[in-house]
Amino acid sequence: MEMNRDRLLEYSSRMRSADRSWYYRGKPHETYWYELRHSTVVAKDIQQIVDTGEQMWGQHIPELTYTLFAIFAEKGSRLEYENVYFERRCRLNTYALLTLLEPEQSGYMERLHDMLWAICDEYTWCLPAHVAADHHPAEIAQQIDLFAAETCFALAEIMLLLGERLPRLLRERITYEVERRIFQPFLSERSYHWQNARHNWAAVCAGSIGAAALLLLDDTERLADILVKTQHSMECYLDGFGEDGACLEGVGYWNYGFGFFVYYADLLRKRSDGELDWFQNKKVASIATFQQTCFLDGSLVANFSDSLPHVHVHMGLSHYLAEQYAAVQLPPQHLRATYSEDHCSRWAPALRNLLWTMEAPVVHDWQDGSYYLQDASWLISRHHGGDHRYGFAAKGGHNDEPHNHNDLGQFIWCVNGEVYLADLGSGEYTAAYFGEGRYAYDCNGSQGHSVPMINGQLQCAGSAYRAEVLHAQIGAERDEWTVELNGAYDIPQLQSLTRSLIWHKGAQPYVKLTDSYVYDGTPSSWRERFVTWKQPELAVNEGTVILSGEHGQVEVEYDPQRCQVVVTPQRYRDHFGVDTVWYSVDFDVVKPGAEEALTFIFRFVPLCTSSV
């Protein structure tokens, strides 16, 4: 979208002032919230908000102490400070929403006043992980990270929605804090790394600031200046996507980054009376369909990069996009994210899960389908075969993607809601996790993915290390995906490493993997590694490894004359800091030659027909 300042200034001057008329599209706000309170569509969401408010009632606001702030600099641990920070945001959201939904209950407003004041008092709205603790307080005050920007957006929207119901001093304090912490630094000569980012930071930070400006500012010159910078960052964010609309950070970060892009774009379109409309952009339309391609079975997703294996959807965002684009599928009802599920307690999606969730036909499951996302080099499939549900995903790309893992050639296979060939997804975020030792973590390095180890060496990090898709084809009976992986390793003697994955979806579904290599000389060792949550067992009949689940088992067939099996329990700390066991199943090639073709079959056997 054109972001010329004169054009933005023209539309800014025509925009109505930031009152509630443009926000609610003419409906009296009291009527709007009364109808929402009595809506059956969002009744469950509202009850959860009420229950959360009751749980908090009478509790003191937790403090963000110096001791908590200093932990990250001293130990690299984030959770101690962030748990308290996000609990405070949960209190803010809960009391603000209850004040809007139940205006007759004065106790909610009193608690909201204290929560707003406490947040205005915070040393910084940034997380310690995103600021340098040894900087002067004046410098820290100029920092803007994801959560500072989100806080600005939340306070601006709460102030607009409540209007003069908030005391004048609180309104002036919020305006003052947003101005000094966010607007002034953003409009200064300094630059922020996220302003030109091709990932979620650009959309969340700039989108939140732009949204807050649209909600707060009547000064058209100042608003235009902020929108120029915001629009630039949105262009950069969209530039990080290919034409296939795939979010390389995964569907969780699609929810996050693209969600904030949509929240901003909606406010921009509303306040400009439709003149400034990002939703006419073809790439935006393509990105809007990404969510429905990522689900494998139930809440299980293709969780490449720093993604969680299970994802629930923001119904508000999903319904809004379905209204904009006919190609967007409404999600199944059981995938609805609950109010308390967002451990970061983000205001913008919490509000829009109420405002944007519409009455719609009940959807019980995603449609079956296979998708090849060419720019991302991802192949994803959902399939119902008889009484069983299958999900398959494989990825290429390069090893310098946002939230990168060294995972070229990685694949996932799940049956009936159980993951047999797994991606560990996101580990616990710490200082080291995003530092030089990132790939020592199993969830990030190729040692924690279903890819080969050659001469004991792993895949390398960097954009130069990439995969080349040689063939990709999706069909009703089978999906085929072949990729050249020699470019993922720094091994000059490796002339070719071709991975072929064929997902057979017939009467007896199975996955066939063949790794073929050509080597100048002979490798000292060749290990085919597969990653699973299931404890592997060697079958009675040689040549099979069993991965047992609740509803059946996957039999991994291999050539016992060519490979020896090594099963090792491993541990890593998941995204929430919980020690978690996973298993590596390694097939060590006996006397690897200059050329090999190693084949493995993954076949699901229901319990009732198991041969073992």
Side-chain angles (χ1 to χ4, degrees):
M1 184 193 299
E2 182 185 350
M3 56 186 179
N4 178 275
R5 185 184 184 278
D6 291 339
R7 182 169 181 257
L8 288 171
L9 182 58
E10 174 192 349
Y11 288 118
S12 297
S13 64
R14 291 163 54 188
M15 291 175 183
R16 289 162 289 187
S17 61
D19 59 26
R20 285 172 285 190
S21 62
W22 65 272
Y23 188 93
Y24 288 114
R25 287 301 192 185
K27 178 179 284 192
H29 64 92
E30 296 90 349
T31 303
Y32 193 97
W33 284 96
Y34 177 84
E35 292 176 352
L36 192 64
R37 179 68 180 90
H38 295 86
S39 166
T40 58
V41 177
V42 293
K44 288 184 179 179
D45 300 87
I46 291 174
Q47 187 57 52
Q48 288 176 343
I49 296 168
V50 171
D51 293 344
T52 303
E54 290 178 352
Q55 293 167 11
M56 293 176 174
W57 198 267
Q59 297 179 5
H60 293 293
I61 298 172
E63 293 186 43
L64 288 172
T65 63
Y66 169 80
T67 300
L68 289 174
F69 187 84
I71 288 174
F72 179 77
E74 294 169 356
K75 301 179 181 178
S77 178
R78 296 174 56 153
L79 294 178
E80 294 85 353
Y81 183 93
E82 291 179 13
N83 286 342
V84 176
Y85 180 101
F86 295 137
E87 183 180 344
R88 289 162 68 96
R89 288 339 186 244
C90 182
R91 289 170 179 267
L92 173 70
N93 297 351
T94 301
Y95 291 138
L97 291 171
L98 289 174
T99 298
L100 290 160
L101 290 164
E102 300 184 4
E104 69 281 359
Q105 299 291 338
S106 60
Y108 293 140
M109 178 66 91
E110 291 171 3
R111 283 157 178 77
L112 176 61
H113 291 169
D114 288 341
M115 199 64 249
L116 288 167
W117 194 260
I119 287 176
C120 287
D121 275 346
E122 288 175 358
Y123 173 57
T124 174
W125 289 342
C126 299
L127 299 184
H130 298 155
V131 298
D134 58 348
H135 282 186
H136 189 276
E139 172 62 22
I140 291 178
Q142 300 289 303
Q143 297 298 314
I144 302 174
D145 75 342
L146 298 164
F147 299 98
E150 287 181 42
T151 299
C152 155
F153 184 1
L155 296 183
E157 196 155 34
I158 290 168
M159 194 168 84
L160 177 137
L161 292 174
L162 289 169
E164 294 186 358
R165 290 181 63 194
L166 283 179
R168 177 180 174 183
L169 177 59
L170 263 176
R171 299 197 309 270
E172 290 179 347
R173 178 79 191 277
I174 290 169
T175 302
Y176 169 76
E177 296 295 343
V178 168
E179 179 67 28
R180 79 174 182 89
R181 294 174 188 255
I182 305 296
F183 290 166
Q184 286 182 9
F186 185 59
L187 289 174
S188 69
E189 294 299 318
R190 69 177 302 141
S191 61
Y192 296 93
H193 68 89
W194 47 260
Q195 287 180 274
N196 299 313
R198 267 66 180 169
H199 52 70
N200 72 85
W201 276 70
V204 176
C205 293
S208 292
I209 295 170
L214 289 164
L215 293 163
L216 285 181
L217 294 182
D218 289 327
D219 182 336
T220 56
E221 293 272 352
R222 194 165 180 75
L223 177 58
D225 288 340
I226 289 176
L227 292 183
V228 166
K229 287 195 165 189
T230 301
Q231 295 285 87
H232 167 77
S233 292
M234 293 310 189
E235 293 278 7
C236 291
Y237 173 68
L238 294 181
D239 191 53
F241 292 84
E243 295 304 316
D244 59 12
C247 177
L248 298 180
E249 299 171 287
V251 71
Y253 279 100
W254 176 92
N255 259 325
Y256 188 28
F258 189 59
F260 274 84
F261 174 90
V262 171
Y263 309 149
Y264 164 75
D266 168 71
L267 291 173
L268 180 68
R269 182 169 64 177
K270 282 180 178 175
R271 198 172 162 189
S272 66
D273 274 335
E275 296 289 346
L276 300 173
D277 189 357
W278 276 108
F279 298 104
Q280 299 302 314
N281 183 293
K282 290 183 179 179
K283 186 178 280 190
V284 173
S286 180
I287 298 167
T289 65
F290 177 69
Q291 175 176 254
Q292 66 209 41
T293 71
C294 289
F295 281 84
L296 302 177
D297 182 19
S299 62
L300 289 170
V301 298
N303 64 312
F304 303 129
S305 304
D306 278 341
S307 296
L308 299 177
H310 292 269
V311 171
H312 291 90
V313 303
H314 296 309
M315 281 297 180
L317 175 62
S318 301
H319 282 220
Y320 183 92
L321 293 173
E323 283 192 302
Q324 310 306 313
Y325 305 111
V328 172
Q329 297 178 28
L330 282 174
Q333 302 301 311
H334 66 88
L335 291 180
R336 162 187 163 272
T338 64
Y339 175 69
S340 60
E341 186 171 322
D342 179 7
H343 70 282
C344 296
S345 295
R346 297 180 172 95
W347 162 262
L351 174 66
R352 285 155 181 82
N353 281 338
L354 298 180
L355 300 184
W356 287 355
T357 300
M358 60 185 179
E359 191 167 357
V362 175
V363 178
H364 297 289
D365 208 348
W366 295 109
Q367 301 170 14
D368 276 9
S370 291
Y371 309 91
Y372 176 56
L373 304 174
Q374 183 172 355
D375 297 302
S377 299
W378 291 13
L379 192 151
I380 304 174
S381 174
R382 287 188 299 272
H383 173 68
H384 284 74
D387 296 328
H388 306 294
R389 309 180 311 274
Y390 300 88
F392 172 79
K395 81 172 293 290
H398 61 81
N399 280 341
D400 190 26
E401 296 169 348
H403 283 265
N404 183 67
H405 292 187
N406 292 340
D407 60 354
L408 305 183
Q410 166 73 351
F411 71 105
I412 302 168
W413 197 43
C414 61
V415 187
N416 296 334
E418 295 185 88
V419 182
Y420 290 92
L421 282 304
D423 194 301
L424 302 181
S426 174
E428 180 186 358
Y429 287 2
T430 63
Y433 189 89
F434 290 104
E436 292 182 0
R438 177 176 177 84
Y439 299 107
Y441 289 83
D442 289 345
C443 50
N444 301 334
S446 67
Q447 71 274 17
H449 294 85
S450 297
V451 298
M453 297 180 180
I454 307 163
N455 303 333
Q457 296 186 41
L458 306 173
Q459 292 186 9
C460 298
S463 60
Y465 299 95
R466 55 184 57 238
E468 179 188 359
V469 176
L470 304 177
H471 172 72
Q473 182 174 322
I474 56 178
E477 294 298 318
R478 58 194 246 171
D479 298 332
E480 301 175 2
W481 188 76
T482 304
V483 63
E484 175 57 62
L485 293 178
N486 71 320
Y489 299 84
D490 187 14
I491 302 176
Q493 298 92 335
L494 183 63
Q495 297 178 343
S496 175
L497 168 54
T498 303
R499 167 161 286 189
S500 168
L501 280 159
I502 303 177
W503 163 218
H504 293 264
K505 296 178 281 189
Q508 296 180 324
Y510 65 94
V511 174
K512 179 180 180 181
L513 180 150
T514 302
D515 279 348
S516 304
Y517 73 80
V518 177
Y519 199 90
D520 183 7
T522 58
S524 59
S525 66
W526 191 284
R527 168 170 282 186
E528 294 282 331
R529 168 161 290 185
F530 301 112
V531 170
T532 182
W533 302 116
K534 308 298 184 184
Q535 185 169 359
E537 307 169 44
L538 294 181
V540 174
N541 54 310
E542 196 178 21
T544 304
V545 175
I546 302 297
L547 308 177
S548 295
E550 292 183 13
H551 308 292
Q553 61 191 31
V554 165
E555 297 181 350
V556 184
E557 302 171 11
Y558 69 100
D559 184 348
Q561 303 303 314
R562 303 179 71 187
C563 296
Q564 296 178 340
V565 183
V566 180
V567 173
T568 310
Q570 313 271 7
R571 285 183 176 272
Y572 84 115
R573 288 175 67 85
D574 73 8
H575 188 63
F576 303 100
V578 177
D579 280 332
T580 305
V581 175
W582 64 280
Y583 297 91
S584 59
V585 187
D586 295 327
F587 296 87
D588 291 334
V589 177
V590 179
K591 295 182 179 179
E595 296 186 23
E596 296 278 2
L598 306 163
T599 297
F600 302 86
I601 303 291
F602 305 88
R603 194 186 311 275
F604 177 70
V605 180
L607 281 177
C608 59
T609 61
S610 174
S611 60
V612 178

